[in-house]
Amino acid sequence: GENVEQHPSTLSVQEGDSAVIKCTYSDSASNYFPWYKQELGKRPQLIIDIRSNVGEKKDQRIAVTLNKTAKHFSLHITETQPEDSAVYFCAASGVSNYQLIWGAGTKLIIKP
Amino acid sequence: NAGVTQTPKFQVLKTGQSMTLQCAQDMNHNSMYWYRQDPGMGLRLIYYSASEGTTDKGEVPNGYNVSRLNKREFSLRLESAAPSQTSVYFCAGTSSSSYNEQFFGPGTRLTVL
């Protein structure tokens, strides 16, 4: 079935360093790949997304890259700050036009 | 603009009790979703409604029913609660039939004893 694998499950980086989270998807028909951030006790919120006709997208310190051939996409956060500490989820569009298949999440810890 | 709202915020049930989780949105979303999130886990889709008047099963529909009452409201019902249904439940909506941002409600934390 459709599946999205996300790694690592926990990532600890020094404040100011970069963080990279990777996801692999199984359905070659997937064409939409969002990333959500969930702070402790809060709701998930979209931080960036990419569609299959684009290889890279940037928004200030955040970027997402997509490799359709290898079926993987990555979230890059540069110059990490304490407020970046959260759980990050990747997702990929499923067979149904209305569903997203979610990764298991990455807990990002920013060390002062 | 309240966005996506959910009631209640917290609920404790005994095994076998029933309850309905309410979700409403004022963002003119066509599609709405119910997810559950277990501790340290990702989001699992329970049911979704692609448009008013339609509902479909997601990944984990057993033990749940839904109603898309109108375009604004999408409720989730537990007919006979079980401890395995202890979770945080999120409602979400999206405004387009194509892929787009899903806006989440604040969640309902449900404990079944």
Side-chain angles (χ1 to χ4, degrees):
Chain A
E2 303 158 327
N3 186 46
V4 173
E5 293 188 357
Q6 183 171 348
H7 299 281
S9 57
T10 304
L11 178 60
S12 184
V13 302
Q14 206 69 38
E15 183 178 348
D17 288 350
S18 296
V20 181
I21 303 170
K22 299 180 179 180
C23 288
T24 304
Y25 61 98
S26 61
D27 185 0
S28 57
S30 294
N31 56 17
Y32 174 66
F33 308 91
W35 286 89
Y36 283 76
K37 176 183 181 182
Q38 186 178 30
E39 296 177 354
L40 188 63
K42 301 289 183 63
R43 72 192 81 185
Q45 291 187 294
L46 180 74
I47 54 171
I48 195 167
D49 57 13
I50 192 168
R51 299 181 191 273
S52 59
N53 58 345
V54 176
E56 183 177 4
K57 184 177 179 180
K58 287 184 179 179
D59 183 3
Q60 299 182 344
R61 296 186 298 108
I62 294 172
V64 57
T65 58
L66 172 64
N67 183 328
K68 285 205 71 182
T69 303
K71 291 192 285 187
H72 67 70
F73 56 112
S74 301
L75 177 71
H76 304 254
I77 305 174
T78 59
E79 300 173 8
T80 53
Q81 300 170 3
E83 53 264 36
D84 294 330
S85 293
V87 177
Y88 292 80
F89 293 98
C90 65
S93 55
V95 172
S96 164
N97 284 336
Y98 306 99
Q99 291 190 46
L100 291 174
I101 310 302
W102 295 82
T106 296
K107 183 176 183 179
L108 178 61
I109 300 167
I110 308 300
K111 296 180 291 186
Chain B
N1 241 359
V4 180
T5 58
Q6 292 183 236
T7 56
K9 292 184 178 179
F10 302 94
Q11 183 71 48
V12 178
L13 293 177
K14 294 181 180 178
T15 297
Q17 288 185 316
S18 62
M19 78 161 296
T20 299
L21 281 63
Q22 306 286 354
C23 174
Q25 50 89 8
D26 60 4
M27 304 178 74
N28 201 33
H29 290 154
N30 292 320
S31 302
M32 298 183 73
Y33 307 81
W34 275 106
Y35 292 96
R36 61 177 287 174
Q37 184 176 36
D38 299 322
M41 302 282 287
L43 296 161
R44 292 189 291 170
L45 183 65
I46 305 171
Y47 270 93
Y48 66 99
S49 170
S51 60
E52 184 180 354
T54 69
T55 60
D56 283 287
K57 295 178 180 179
E59 180 186 356
V60 289
N62 291 345
Y64 306 95
N65 283 301
V66 291
S67 295
R68 183 76 182 266
L69 304 171
N70 46 56
K71 188 170 185 178
R72 290 188 63 250
E73 298 171 289
F74 188 38
S75 63
L76 177 72
R77 182 159 179 85
L78 287 70
E79 290 291 351
S80 179
S84 61
Q85 294 178 304
T86 293
S87 190
V88 178
Y89 291 84
F90 287 101
C91 176
T94 187
S95 60
S96 172
S97 59
S98 62
Y99 294 110
N100 217 326
E101 178 176 2
Q102 289 191 12
F103 292 86
F104 285 80
T108 294
R109 188 173 296 274
L110 175 68
T111 301
V112 183
L113 302 175

